[in-house]
């Protein structure tokens, strides 16, 4: 049966290697935006590709499926505290921000605060935000999350506004 | 002319071509919109910078080698790498119970003093979900306040007696270990997990508006209604291979219960099911499952697991088998207690263990 072939017992889909080489870096990139650590992001990518290898997701839908799975899995790690070891490790893994983006300088502490706030956002908002900032177009985000393209902007804006407020709240209370 | 929405302005930052000519023309000549656009652009930049990934220096070959090693080891169930993927698989049923708890708890309420037990779970029914549907499952925190005061904590304890002392639950005894399972088990004890959900019509209206929908008017008493959900405690005995890969897990957990503080649970549930964003198919399944108020919807990723049912000493058990054939699990509910047997064994072997538990 061609339809369910990839999901047969013990079988790994034939195109796994090809898709892995094409999309691995992007999947790590999505997860790293959530987690701020490449090592943790690579752990997430492994989980995502293991699941993909055993799935029968149509090849044409693979990029969207992988991005959504990476965002969800990484957010789950972030929320459940299934972090690799201590929080410090993920902080240490964050490279210093280039000083030339003067209008958007974000300190290491702020990055960690933004990630904590990201974990508290409604999941759909958080996923839409992460996918958009990972370079998916509005149409791609809309398709991946079954939203209208028109509502992607509203959802992303809402999430960004919440994260910015989080930064301001701390800045003003310091 | 009306001002474009914040969503339109946000898209203008990234994809001007996605915004209508009329909106673009309006923004170009509207000081209010231009100012809003600048704020939105600044926020977008700030967040982009905060989320900038540390993902350079990826070694693709090493990553591929790791993935294939995990795949192969997963089949042999012998190398240290397999232990990890394996544990994830074995934990899935337990995690599923917790997520079902949160799902039902999300449909729940909290706040008042006199909680009425609305239903006690008597049967475990899997709801087959694709990962796409899971993705679409609305986060109920958008519809109110979800408070999880305590994350589920699990701890290894010395023996069955210590597990009993901590939880009040007896670890089921295995009459005869299946072939390939040897040695003494280790014991795990988990505490009670509880969550409360307070429905907020204002918050729900906001969430609906974000989806471009209008919130259906809540029935009397639903705004501010609270549900409390409680699950656990639980115990487990885990047999492992000398390499550390678990071969058999026998677990017992007090089934989730939902308490409502006034408004009947069914009213809250039906209203939640009617909210925008819940996939129709899933809503129907939940409605059907909850009709007798005694089943626990158990979300099972359909692309990973197949489910069927079987009889375990008169109890109606759910049998889950991973599509890759690496593990299986058997779960049933009796007197408000979920018992589960899972392992790198066939469903038949696990059913034999399940039927002979002492």
């Amino acid at each position: 049966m061609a339809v369910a072939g990839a999901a047969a017992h013990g079988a790994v889909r034939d195109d796994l290697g090809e898709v892995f080489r094409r999309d691995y870096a992007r999947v790590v990139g999505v997860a790293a935006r959530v987690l701020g650590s490449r090592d943790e992001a690579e752990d997430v990518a492994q989980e995502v590709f293991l699941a993909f290898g055993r799935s029968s997701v149509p090849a044409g839908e693979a990029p969207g499926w992988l991005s959504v799975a990476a965002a969800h899995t990484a957010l789950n790690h972030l929320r459940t505290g299934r972090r690799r070891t201590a929080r410090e490790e993920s902080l240490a893994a964050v490279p210093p921000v280039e000083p030339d983006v003067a209008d958007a300088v974000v300190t290491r502490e702020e990055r960690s605060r933004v990630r904590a706030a990201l974990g508290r956002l409604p999941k759909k908002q958080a996923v839409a935000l992460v996918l958009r900032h990972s370079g998916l177009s509005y149409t791609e985000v809309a398709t991946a999350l079954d939203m209208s393209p028109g509502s992607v902007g509203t959802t992303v804006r809402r999430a960004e506004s919440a994260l910015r407020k989080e930064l301001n709240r701390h800045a003003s209370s310091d | 002319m009306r001002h474009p929405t914040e969503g339109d302005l946000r898209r203008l930052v990234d994809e001007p071509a996605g915004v209508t000519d009329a909106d673009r023309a309006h923004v170009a000549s509207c000081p209010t919109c231009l100012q809003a656009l600048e704020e939105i652009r600044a926020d977008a930049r700030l967040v982009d910078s905060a989320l900038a990934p540390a993902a350079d220096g990826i070694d693709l070959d090493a990553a591929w080698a790791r993935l294939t090693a995990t795949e192969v080891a997963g089949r042999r169930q012998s190398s240290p790498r397999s232990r990890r993927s394996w544990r994830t698989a074995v934990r899935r049923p337990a995690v599923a119970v917790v997520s079902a708890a949160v799902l039902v708890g999300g449909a729940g309420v909290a706040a008042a003093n006199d909680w009425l037990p609305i239903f006690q779970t008597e049967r475990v029914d899997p709801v087959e979900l694709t990962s796409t549907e899971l993705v679409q499952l609305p986060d109920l925190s958008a519809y109110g306040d979800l408070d999880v005061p305590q994350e589920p904590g699990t701890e290894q304890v010395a023996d069955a007696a210590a597990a009993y002392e901590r939880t009040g639950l007896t670890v089921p005894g295995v009459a005869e270990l299946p072939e390939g399972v040897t040695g003494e088990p280790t014991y795990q004890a988990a505490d009670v997990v509880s969550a409360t959900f307070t429905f907020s019509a204002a918050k729900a209206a906001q969430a609906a508006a974000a989806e471009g929908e209008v919130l259906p008017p809540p029935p009397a008493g639903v705004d501010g209604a609270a549900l409390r959900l409680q699950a656990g405690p639980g115990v487990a005995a885990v047999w492992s291979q000398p390499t550390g890969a678990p071969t058999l897990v026998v677990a017992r957990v007090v089934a989730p219960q939902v308490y409502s503080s006034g408004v009947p649970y069914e009213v809250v549930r039906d209203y939640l099911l009617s909210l925008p964003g819940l996939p129709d198919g899933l809503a129907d399944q939940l409605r059907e499952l909850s009709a007798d108020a005694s089943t626990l919807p158990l979300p099972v990723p359909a692309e990973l697991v197949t489910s069927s049912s079987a009889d375990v000493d008169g109890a109606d058990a759910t049998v889950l088998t991973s599509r890759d054939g690496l593990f299986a699990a058997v779960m049933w509910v009796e007197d408000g207690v979920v018992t589960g047997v899972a392992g790198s064994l066939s469903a038949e072997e696990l059913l034999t263990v399940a039927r002979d538990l002492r």
Side-chain angles (χ1 to χ4, degrees), chain A residues 10 103 132-133 157 160, chain B residues 10 14 43 45 48 75:
Chain A
D103 56 347
R132 175 63 209 114
H133 283 272
R157 168 64 190 148
E160 285 169 352
Chain B
R10 178 64 186 82
D14 294 325
D43 287 355
R45 251 187 233 173
D48 199 59
R75 269 155 225 272

Side-chain angles (χ1 to χ4, degrees), chain A residues 7-10 12 16-17 20-21 24-25 28-29 32-33 38 42-43 46 49-50 54 65 68 72 79 93 95 103-104 106 111 114-115 122-124 129 132-133 137-139 145-146 149 151 153-154 156-158 160 163-164 167, chain B residues 5-7 10-11 14-15 39-40 43-58 60-61 63-64 66-67 70-71 75 84-85 131 134-136 139 141-142 151 206 209-211 303-304 321-326:
Chain A
H9 276 221
V12 171
L16 178 61
F20 184 89
R21 289 192 177 273
Y24 181 77
V28 173
R33 280 189 169 77
R38 196 195 78 202
E42 290 212 62
D43 286 350
Q46 291 281 331
F49 277 100
L50 274 177
R54 292 164 186 169
W65 188 95
V68 174
H72 265 270
R79 287 179 167 199
D103 56 347
V106 179
R111 283 163 166 254
V114 163
R115 291 214 158 76
K123 199 141 186 198
K124 198 167 188 174
L129 178 81
R132 175 63 209 114
H133 283 272
S137 72
Y138 282 62
T139 311
L145 296 179
D146 195 26
S151 65
T154 310
V156 169
R157 168 64 190 148
R158 201 175 281 270
E160 285 169 352
L163 296 190
R164 194 249 307 138
L167 288 173
Chain B
T5 66
E6 283 215 319
R10 178 64 186 82
R11 191 168 188 182
D14 294 325
E15 290 181 2
E39 281 171 19
I40 288 168
D43 287 355
R45 251 187 233 173
L46 183 74
V47 170
D48 199 59
S49 174
L51 297 183
D56 51 340
I58 286 170
L60 196 58
D61 290 330
W64 175 249
R66 179 179 164 192
L67 186 79
T70 310
E71 274 290 346
R75 269 155 225 272
R84 179 183 177 158
S85 58
S131 61
L134 281 174
V135 164
Q136 290 172 358
D139 186 328
S141 59
E151 294 291 332
Q206 213 175 23
E211 300 286 326
E303 77 279 13
L304 298 176
T321 311
S322 70
R323 289 190 189 273
D324 56 24
L326 288 180

Side-chain angles (χ1 to χ4, degrees), chain B residues 117-290:
Chain B
I118 294 299
F119 77 78
Q120 184 156 12
T121 311
E122 295 295 346
R123 208 149 58 85
V124 178
D125 269 2
V127 183
E128 292 229 325
L129 296 170
T130 66
S131 61
T132 319
E133 280 169 328
L134 281 174
V135 164
Q136 290 172 358
L137 200 63
D139 186 328
L140 285 168
S141 59
Y143 299 108
D145 301 313
L146 184 63
D147 181 28
V148 185
Q150 213 181 343
E151 294 291 332
T154 307
E155 208 172 79
Q156 185 162 332
V157 292
D159 50 27
Y164 175 76
E165 194 175 321
R166 177 154 169 180
T167 62
L169 290 170
T170 313
V171 184
V174 177
E176 192 182 344
L177 289 174
E179 202 174 327
V181 180
T182 54
E184 290 300 313
T186 56
Y187 293 90
Q188 307 279 339
D191 302 321
V192 175
V193 187
S194 66
T196 52
F197 173 79
T198 310
F199 181 82
S200 156
K203 228 171 162 178
Q206 213 175 23
E211 300 286 326
E213 305 265 359
V214 176
L215 187 75
V222 167
D223 190 14
L227 293 181
R228 182 164 68 92
L229 180 116
Q230 188 173 303
V235 291
V238 181
W239 281 262
S240 304
Q241 288 184 343
T243 55
T247 48
L248 176 66
V249 178
V250 176
R252 184 161 279 174
V253 182
V254 173
Q257 277 182 275
V258 176
Y259 302 85
S260 165
S261 58
V263 183
Y265 167 69
E266 288 78 359
V267 173
V268 181
R269 177 200 66 205
D270 289 346
Y271 177 63
L272 284 165
L273 284 171
S274 75
L275 294 182
L278 197 72
D280 290 345
L282 173 62
D284 287 345
Q285 280 175 310
L286 290 177
R287 218 171 267 124
E288 196 177 308
L289 276 170
S290 310

Side-chain angles (χ1 to χ4, degrees), chain A residues 138-153:
Chain A
Y138 282 62
T139 311
E140 286 166 336
V141 174
T143 306
L145 296 179
D146 195 26
M147 304 164 76
S148 70
S151 65
V152 172

